[in-house]
Structure formats: C-alpha cells, structure tokens
Amino acid sequence: MTTYTANPALDLVLERTVDVAPEQVWRAWTTPELLMQWFAPKPWSTTACEIDLQPGGRFDTTMRSPEGEEYPSSGCILVAEEGRTLVFTSGLGPGFRPQVSEDGFPFTAVIKIEPHGDGTKYTAIAIHADASAKKSHEEMGFHEGWGAALDQLVEVMKAG
C-alpha cells in the first residue's frame, strides 16, 4: 500500500510540504484529542473521534456543521505504518465488516508522511470506486477542505 499510485480518473490528491516534523503529522492523525482540534475545516468542528490504530481497527469521527448538525462517520483502518502511512476506508467498519457509507460514496484515504528537510512531504489521496464519486467529493470541496484542515493541523502542532 505504501507504493499506491493515484489514478487521476478516480482519485483526488492533495500534496504539500509542511514545516512540522513527520512525527508530529503522524501524532496529529493518530491521537483522537489532537485530531479533534484540526480535522474539520472551520467553521465546522470535530466533536468526537475514536481510533483503534491497527488493521481492522475503527476510525470514527463526528463532524458538526456551523448550524449544529452532526455527521458521524465510521471507518476501518487498513494500514498503520507508524510515522509513514495511514490508510482508512469508509467502505468498511471495524473488523473489516462491509458497510454502507453514510456520505453516499465510500472512499479510501491514503495518508503518506515523508521527511522533507526539517518538515514533511504530506500526501493525502482519496480513492473512489468510480468517476462520479470522485466528482461528488471534488465538488463537495475536497481540495479546499482537506487543504484547510492541513493548515489547521500545522497550526495545532506548532502551538503544542
């Protein structure tokens, strides 16, 4: 999985270099208390998070809209290579149990973390089943939302 190559017809990619260490990026993604501080792009918030950091473990979050509506999301961790790669999917629940995605299009997220100078080369790939799911996720604001969340991750980790 660490050598996954994005398919431009089906996948969305956010790639940036950030000025926090790879260990900090990993901690931000894998520590529920930290993830809740940055995961949802403002003015949204993350109100709950549960992570069982092992293949088959849960990756659950709840986001709250500015209007107060809550959007729970349940997923399954597929790969957890400490400090390097985190892969989770909304297409499976804990224990690799297939599930129907609440958001209408299940996707798999690949988070790659690589040292780059004093910072981190960060790559987030959202893998979709078909072009229409990719388009829906893109129109939902994937690049803007995931980019804003990454900015918030950096801010949280620099402050801590």
Side-chain angles (χ1 to χ4, degrees):
M1 195 69 220
T2 57
T3 59
Y4 181 79
T5 303
N7 176 342
L10 302 175
D11 304 336
L12 296 168
V13 179
L14 174 71
E15 186 175 275
R16 287 197 355 220
T17 301
V18 295
D19 61 349
V20 294
E23 301 79 32
Q24 291 178 298
V25 175
W26 179 257
R27 278 189 40 238
W29 265 104
T30 59
T31 307
E33 299 76 24
L34 290 173
L35 187 134
M36 288 174 60
Q37 296 177 47
W38 66 266
F39 189 66
K42 292 176 184 169
W44 288 64
S45 61
T46 303
T47 58
C49 177
E50 187 176 344
I51 299 171
D52 179 11
L53 194 59
Q54 63 180 327
R58 83 174 49 248
F59 189 92
D60 294 354
T61 59
T62 301
M63 289 189 186
R64 180 178 290 149
S65 74
E67 297 76 34
E69 292 182 51
E70 298 220 330
Y71 296 89
S73 175
S74 180
C76 179
I77 293 177
L78 303 176
V79 177
E81 294 176 341
E82 187 165 348
R84 299 182 344 168
T85 307
L86 178 65
V87 182
F88 60 93
T89 185
S90 61
L92 298 173
F96 304 107
R97 174 83 42 205
Q99 68 180 4
V100 176
S101 177
E102 294 293 319
D103 61 15
F105 57 88
F107 72 94
T108 298
V110 178
I111 308 300
K112 294 182 185 181
I113 300 166
E114 302 171 69
H116 187 271
D118 291 334
T120 301
K121 179 182 174 190
Y122 175 92
T123 307
I125 305 169
I127 303 171
H128 303 90
D130 57 39
S132 70
K134 175 197 172 192
K135 184 175 190 247
S136 293
H137 202 177
E138 192 165 31
E139 289 173 351
M140 206 175 167
F142 169 83
H143 289 99
E144 298 81 4
W146 284 56
L150 179 58
D151 291 340
Q152 292 167 185
L153 178 157
V154 170
E155 184 180 308
V156 165
M157 296 315 287
K158 282 185 168 187

